Amino acid sequence: HPVSHPKANILLNSLLFHSHSNMKPILVIDLNGALLKSRPFEKAHKNWFKLMSILLKDKSILKYSKLDNYFDKVDEIMQRYLGNVNPKTRVTFARNLFSMLTIEEVKKTDLIQELVDYLLKIKEKYTLVLITSAPELSVEPLLEKVGCSNLFDIVYKSPLKDYPDKLSLFKLFIKNQGKIDYYVGEGDKDILEIKKLGIKIISVNWVSKGKFKGDYDVEKVEELGEILG
């Protein structure tokens, strides 16, 4: 599957969007924590540091996987491994490796099948959009491995050369496609900023209990029907 930068797909997405679904409300789904369990992403995260500890022959690298703010360490590790290269190259290399590890790890059992079944039921009523900060090269293969290649009308992915920034992707989508009506995602800190964009947030707890709550807070997929119909 050819995967391109989100900005390169703007014209195509806009044409598809306006020709098929400009009258439908837009429903955005998150990948990690809503559509998929967090397990493959967490395992790939640990394996990234494990692999780099082997390549650099430095077991102290393993402990960095437990840090909340681990990106500084990722950059430091990339500098050690790649030498004096462009910072964007370091980010690209690091995220490409993470993509490979995530794709290797994901399994069909990581899919929240109840959510997929529900989305297929309401697909005629909503424009289904996936906006994810997962590295762009990983998204299509991940969806393919779990049987969801054709689930979404539009997919916005995080460019490899950039640090993951979900809020920027939301702003880019709104700029190019228009208002987002609902966002279904895990109750992490991202929803606080996304809510400021005028989007109704549905925080979900079927993968893990979120620290933050949206306009709606649900425990089970079946509760979405009461909100979205």
Side-chain angles (χ1 to χ4, degrees), residues 33-34 83 124 188 202 218 228:
E124 292 304 311
D188 55 23
I202 305 173
V218 301
L228 300 171

Side-chain angles (χ1 to χ4, degrees), residues 8-24 26 126-129 140 152-156 173 176-177:
N9 272 338
I10 287 169
L11 181 57
L12 177 60
N13 280 338
S14 296
L15 288 170
L16 289 171
F17 175 73
H18 289 298
S19 62
H20 294 300
S21 54
N22 59 342
M23 299 304 291
K24 296 181 190 177
I26 295 174
Y126 288 89
T127 297
L128 299 183
V129 178
E140 302 290 346
F152 296 99
D153 300 300
I154 303 173
V155 177
Y156 266 47
F173 182 94
N176 295 311
Q177 313 285 17

Side-chain angles (χ1 to χ4, degrees), residues 91-200:
V91 174
T92 301
F93 187 98
R95 300 195 77 208
N96 199 20
L97 180 55
F98 179 74
S99 296
M100 292 164 65
L101 293 168
T102 309
I103 295 162
E104 177 198 21
E105 192 60 42
V106 75
K107 297 175 174 60
K108 190 72 187 280
T109 51
D110 293 312
L111 183 68
I112 308 300
Q113 187 62 49
E114 299 94 326
L115 178 61
V116 175
D117 295 341
Y118 175 70
L119 292 175
L120 288 171
K121 270 186 3 185
I122 64 168
K123 194 170 168 63
E124 292 304 311
K125 293 196 295 183
Y126 288 89
T127 297
L128 299 183
V129 178
L130 180 71
I131 297 181
T132 175
S133 56
E136 62 182 337
L137 286 181
S138 68
V139 177
E140 302 290 346
L142 286 175
L143 291 175
E144 188 175 355
K145 279 191 79 174
V146 297
C148 291
S149 292
N150 300 314
L151 180 61
F152 296 99
D153 300 300
I154 303 173
V155 177
Y156 266 47
K157 301 157 283 207
S158 177
L160 271 183
K161 64 182 177 55
D162 298 336
Y163 284 107
D165 183 356
K166 193 182 294 178
L167 185 63
S168 292
L169 290 172
F170 270 81
K171 288 177 177 176
L172 181 65
F173 182 94
I174 292 167
K175 178 183 175 185
N176 295 311
Q177 313 285 17
K179 181 179 180 291
I180 295 170
D181 295 277
Y182 293 97
Y183 168 65
V184 175
E186 196 175 30
D188 55 23
K189 65 179 185 298
D190 286 336
I191 67 172
L192 302 178
E193 294 301 315
I194 293 169
K195 192 172 182 178
K196 293 176 184 176
L197 299 175
I199 302 166
K200 283 191 170 59

